[in-house]
Amino acid sequence: MKRWSMVLTAFLLVATLSIVPGSVEAQFDEVGSIDFPTSATGEAQQHFLRGVAILHSFGWKQAREQFHAAQELDPDFAMAYWGESLAYNHPLVSQMDATDPRKALQRLGATPEERMTKAPTDREKGFLKAVEILWGEADHTERRVGYMEAMRDLYEAYPEDSEIAAFYALSLLGATAATRDLSQRWNVMAGTIALKLFNRNPMHPGAAHYTIHSFDNPIMAPLALDAAYAFADIAPAVSHARHMPTHIFIQHGMWDRVSGNNQSAYGVAQELWQPGDPVGDAVHALDWGQYGDLQRGDYEKAQLWMDRLGDMVDNEGFGTASGARGAAGIARAQGAVSLLKARYIVDTEEWEVQPVTEDSPAHELLATGLSAARTGDQLIVADAEAALAELSDGSGYTHVMHKQIGALRHAAMGHPDVATGLMDEAEAEVMTMAPPRGSASPVKPLHELYGELLLDLDMPDKAVEKFETSLLRMPNRPRSLLGLARAHAANGDAAMAAEAYAKVADLWQGRAHAGLQEAEDFLEQSMNEGEGNR
């Protein structure tokens, strides 16, 4: 078996590019470096390698183009169909649609037995056997766990094979998603494998990508910071590769990078889009980019993200897509418009009381209820609380939002014990969930709102604790820092207040916000008092 290995860079042969229908040269500037020998040779193998490298960055359409090109050159190339079967679904969602992957495999052969005869080596048979399980007829959880177990067997048989290692790591993450296992045991295993591969090949797109996914939570995020710095440079041709590092940057409160990486990801999504494509990459970048700019205090840019998303929906901009996938993408974009607006209201504190209807989503009801509470409209607060009660099934984030608005209503009615009791119940619910991995959920973080409520109730000691917990879960979030500064100031701890206010001033430097003015005034007063005491 001839070993094919290549660094996948912008220096691609024009002749090679020309045989890919509809390809765009910018798609293939850089996609990383992999070492994946197969029984194929020549251009079919080159297309296969590019396809796998892009697949590692979740560039679904771009990867499929490459696998199709490999199939055209070598119709019996089993691994090209294996790769295509993995290029239709996000592998970390709870369920995956097996329809298109099964069709891809059926083009190789009508039955698993027939398909297996076209995989000439034990290693390739192992890869094919694994996806036969993944796209089989069993329950989706059973299929995902079975796929992981098949990849584990292959990994144990070929422990030094980098591609087996990468796909085994990803299968562990997929099994975690399917089983909703919150223990992190499979994630830690996946991260250990991915980190080892990343250290061996710092240009491997899957190694960096799966390291990020493995450690995508506030506690373990520092383990993935080097991979996050590297990933966007490894595969800049893929929009998701530019976005994905922000999963770790957001855990560190690195708001400039959250904004910048998603701006870059959005640009690539625009560049690569063609009629009929789904809108997922663009929506994801718009969503996370807006959150980053809200934390930076750049409300004008945050509004721009919303305008861009609105244009995609209202004017069918570059996000138009056909068929069921297209309809799902547009529906996702429409839902995101509402989410971004609710988040904008909450994080800017530009309060806006919207009508409460039976179609109002939970995050919109939370923003409306909070706006009404802050502007003294208790009737709307009660309406929002009732609507959230209708949506709640007794657990989860909607249940938490219901208690948040209920607490605000009771606090305004002069029932502080009821208000804090509701917030305690909401806190207990939140702490049973996985730590936040992206933008705030709910859009008004539970501990941040609890701290603000405690300040309103003249309990700054307890408020400090809530704001500190909020910042442990979402580092460097300016509204939590501002609340922490106010709580320390109310406690008479000027030094700790100044420390928190300084962080707010640094994050919002140059912004015309009341919170920034408050921080600067406190810091100036503290400095003057310090000079006066000398």
Side-chain angles (χ1 to χ4, degrees):
M1 177 173 60
K2 184 173 182 179
R3 189 171 187 85
W4 283 90
S5 173
M6 64 180 296
V7 175
L8 307 169
T9 67
F11 305 106
L12 302 176
L13 297 175
V14 174
T16 302
L17 283 170
S18 67
I19 66 173
V20 187
S23 68
V24 179
E25 185 169 356
Q27 291 177 336
F28 308 108
D29 283 346
E30 287 184 337
V31 292
S33 173
I34 66 170
D35 183 10
F36 198 157
T38 75
S39 54
T41 60
E43 290 184 356
Q45 173 69 357
Q46 292 175 355
H47 281 293
F48 173 78
L49 288 169
R50 280 192 291 280
V52 173
I54 295 169
L55 184 64
H56 280 311
S57 296
F58 295 175
W60 316 123
K61 180 194 172 188
Q62 295 161 270
R64 289 197 301 271
E65 285 183 345
Q66 295 300 307
F67 293 130
H68 289 161
Q71 293 164 19
E72 289 176 11
L73 290 164
D74 187 347
D76 289 329
F77 183 11
M79 292 302 291
Y81 298 89
W82 163 87
E84 183 191 346
S85 80
L86 295 173
Y88 288 99
N89 289 278
H90 193 302
L92 305 183
V93 298
S94 59
Q95 297 191 41
M96 297 192 295
D97 185 352
T99 305
D100 288 328
R102 288 170 183 165
K103 289 179 180 178
L105 292 174
Q106 286 165 3
R107 293 203 316 275
L108 176 64
T111 66
E113 293 76 19
E114 180 182 348
R115 294 191 285 269
M116 201 63 67
T117 64
K118 297 184 180 181
T121 69
D122 288 342
R123 177 172 166 275
E124 292 177 42
K125 289 182 188 297
F127 276 114
L128 200 57
K129 175 186 174 183
V131 294
E132 294 286 3
I133 295 171
L134 181 61
W135 306 123
E137 299 296 336
D139 167 80
H140 82 94
T141 300
E142 185 179 343
R143 289 190 282 112
R144 300 280 288 280
V145 174
Y147 173 68
M148 179 270 290
E149 291 171 343
M151 288 307 302
R152 178 195 61 203
D153 292 344
L154 199 57
Y155 178 69
E156 290 175 352
Y158 301 90
E160 299 304 316
D161 189 298
S162 61
E163 291 309 300
I164 291 174
F167 282 103
Y168 175 45
L170 182 57
S171 75
L172 286 163
L173 298 174
T176 297
T179 59
R180 300 185 183 277
D181 184 353
L182 300 181
S183 70
Q184 300 293 316
R185 59 194 177 104
W186 284 340
N187 283 51
V188 172
M189 288 173 63
T192 301
I193 294 166
L195 267 178
K196 180 180 178 181
L197 180 56
F198 180 66
N199 290 331
R200 197 164 68 219
N201 179 5
M203 287 298 292
H204 192 292
H209 193 181
Y210 309 147
T211 296
I212 293 170
H213 274 296
S214 298
F215 300 129
D216 186 6
N217 67 68
I219 296 172
M220 293 190 285
L223 296 172
L225 190 55
D226 286 344
Y229 283 131
F231 190 30
D233 292 331
I234 290 173
V238 183
S239 176
H240 188 75
R242 298 195 187 200
H243 155 79
M244 193 64 210
T246 62
H247 281 242
I248 301 302
F249 297 149
I250 210 169
Q251 306 286 358
H252 290 80
M254 301 166 68
W255 306 120
D256 287 345
R257 286 187 174 271
V258 173
S259 172
N261 273 64
N262 282 291
Q263 177 63 55
S264 176
Y266 175 73
V268 173
Q270 280 187 304
E271 181 182 351
L272 298 181
W273 184 86
Q274 294 177 358
D277 287 355
V279 298
D281 283 341
V283 172
H284 212 41
L286 288 165
D287 179 358
W288 287 57
Q290 190 228 22
Y291 186 71
D293 279 307
L294 284 170
Q295 308 319 304
R296 294 173 65 236
D298 190 345
Y299 298 162
E300 183 176 353
K301 179 68 176 297
Q303 180 65 53
L304 176 61
W305 291 108
M306 289 198 297
D307 293 343
R308 288 168 170 169
L309 187 56
D311 286 343
M312 287 172 60
V313 174
D314 296 338
N315 304 321
E316 297 184 317
F318 77 90
T320 306
S322 60
R325 290 179 183 274
I330 293 298
R332 180 184 176 192
Q334 290 171 332
V337 170
S338 173
L339 173 63
L340 268 62
K341 184 173 184 180
R343 182 191 295 150
Y344 183 90
I345 292 169
V346 168
D347 280 354
T348 64
E349 297 191 348
E350 295 176 9
W351 306 120
E352 181 179 337
V353 179
Q354 302 179 65
V356 174
T357 72
E358 61 181 15
D359 297 324
S360 299
H363 49 256
E364 182 179 302
L365 292 169
L366 178 61
T368 291
L370 184 55
S371 294
R374 296 303 190 222
T375 56
D377 192 336
Q378 284 299 101
L379 290 176
I380 295 296
V381 175
D383 287 347
E385 181 188 11
L388 283 165
E390 287 290 322
L391 292 177
S392 173
D393 61 1
S395 63
Y397 280 119
T398 301
H399 189 55
V400 169
M401 289 184 255
H402 173 230
K403 291 185 180 296
Q404 285 179 291
I405 298 304
L408 293 176
R409 185 170 70 85
H410 281 283
M413 293 169 64
H415 306 152
D417 291 343
V418 177
T420 55
L422 287 169
M423 292 301 281
D424 286 339
E425 292 172 10
E427 181 178 32
E429 179 78 17
V430 163
M431 298 307 282
T432 66
M433 303 177 190
R437 298 189 304 162
S439 59
S441 184
V443 289
K444 182 62 174 178
L446 184 281
H447 291 94
E448 184 175 281
L449 181 61
Y450 200 172
E452 292 172 358
L453 179 65
L454 290 168
L455 278 178
D456 292 341
L457 296 174
D458 196 24
M459 291 188 262
D461 282 343
K462 292 183 178 179
V464 166
E465 176 190 338
K466 302 307 177 187
F467 288 123
E468 287 178 340
T469 300
S470 184
L471 288 163
L472 281 174
R473 293 170 64 82
M474 287 171 290
N476 218 24
R477 182 176 158 87
R479 288 289 171 193
S480 292
L481 286 168
L482 188 59
L484 180 62
R486 290 167 175 169
H488 280 309
N491 276 332
D493 192 336
M496 293 299 293
E499 181 179 324
Y501 272 130
K503 292 178 180 177
V504 173
D506 183 59
L507 285 171
W508 286 352
Q509 185 177 13
R511 313 296 184 191
H513 304 332
L516 174 62
Q517 189 62 54
E518 175 187 335
E520 290 177 341
D521 289 346
F522 186 93
L523 293 169
E524 183 178 0
Q525 180 181 346
S526 297
M527 185 173 62
N528 290 338
E529 289 175 354
E531 291 176 351
N533 291 330
R534 290 179 184 175

